[in-house]
Amino acid sequence: MEETLRLKIGLPALLPLFLLFAELVQAPLVAGGQERIPAKAKAAAVKEGAPLFRANCSPCHGLNAHGGGRGPDLTSGRWTHGSTDAEIFRTITQGVPGTEMPANAFEDSETWAIIAYLRSLQPPSHAVAAGDPAKGRRIFNSAGCSTCHMVNGSGGRLGPDLSRVGASRSVSYLMDSIRSPDKELSAGMLDPNNHYGLPLVYDTVTVVTPSGEKITGVAMNEDTFSIQLMTTREDLRFFLKNSLKEVIHEHKSLMPPYPEDTLSQTELQDLIDYLVTLRGAESGNAKGAK
């Protein structure tokens, strides 16, 4: 009797939410393939989608969808596998073959709620850089970026590989990384479910040998007993910590800042627009990027 009474009380309380999601799921397609989400359902869907995303998607895409060790930034408004609601729905539910994006067994209403949440994070259109990717590519090479950063197997190894940076990082993040490299150091690719390794962060590391020699670079691997260092000359060096005088981690980047007197705002926009084209297998193949 008590359980029956609880069921009768619970169903009326949940009914409005079910009706909202029913309206959301059955919303017809409009021009361009976007789903028309009723206003009264949208707020409820965004509120429902936020915890669903954090519980299920944030290990790869970051807590606030700004990108993580395995998944790209989902707040930039740029979608590698289709930008319409229907295409994003398919990506979430069916996954992407050949990538680390798995299929997910969400209820349809949960998938639409996650989509609504992601749509609420997208920047206004004016946040997208409006430069010339062809000029940006030339700047990338002439400014020395390719000396430290690799794109599609070509370039340096000291900094993060940028072959997929256009899919994984927002425009604002890229701008900050160029103007103020120390502001938010780029984390390396690491399985977010691996709780035993130390994440690779592109900060500056200096080891001091028994003779007093100082060797500076980026720690490619590090544990309690040893450190593997990529030096500024791209030499890979291995050290046992008990054979060193000191290991110094500095929260700063080896990359120099590029203020406006070094890189104008127009040049920055060109460079950003080139970086946006770097999306993996098709990196740099966007029209005008060559």
Side-chain angles (χ1 to χ4, degrees), residues 138-264:
R138 291 194 289 270
I139 292 169
F140 182 84
N141 292 314
S142 64
C145 306
S146 59
T147 303
C148 295
H149 296 283
M150 188 173 292
V151 173
N152 293 336
S154 177
R157 300 176 296 162
L158 190 60
D161 188 324
L162 300 182
S163 300
R164 294 193 69 254
V165 72
S168 62
R169 299 296 185 184
S170 66
V171 168
S172 61
Y173 180 96
L174 294 175
M175 288 184 172
D176 283 344
S177 297
I178 294 169
R179 290 295 194 208
S180 305
D182 296 340
K183 183 175 180 180
E184 188 174 356
L185 297 178
S186 297
M189 302 297 282
L190 178 73
D191 185 345
N193 297 311
N194 177 7
H195 303 291
Y196 303 101
L198 294 175
L200 174 59
V201 178
Y202 287 87
D203 59 354
T204 298
V205 181
T206 300
V207 299
V208 184
T209 67
S211 65
E213 180 186 7
K214 293 183 178 180
I215 304 169
T216 299
V218 173
M220 305 306 291
N221 288 291
E222 183 177 6
D223 57 30
T224 304
F225 307 103
S226 65
I227 183 168
Q228 191 177 40
L229 197 70
M230 175 75 72
T231 71
T232 54
R233 299 177 62 181
E234 292 198 359
D235 295 325
L236 198 59
R237 303 283 298 274
F238 177 83
F239 302 93
L240 292 173
K241 289 185 176 180
N242 62 8
S243 69
L244 296 170
K245 277 188 175 182
E246 194 174 5
V247 177
I248 305 168
H249 282 267
E250 300 177 82
H251 193 74
K252 68 177 184 180
S253 175
L254 287 170
M255 176 177 163
Y258 287 86
E260 286 200 46
D261 58 355
T262 302
L263 189 72
S264 71

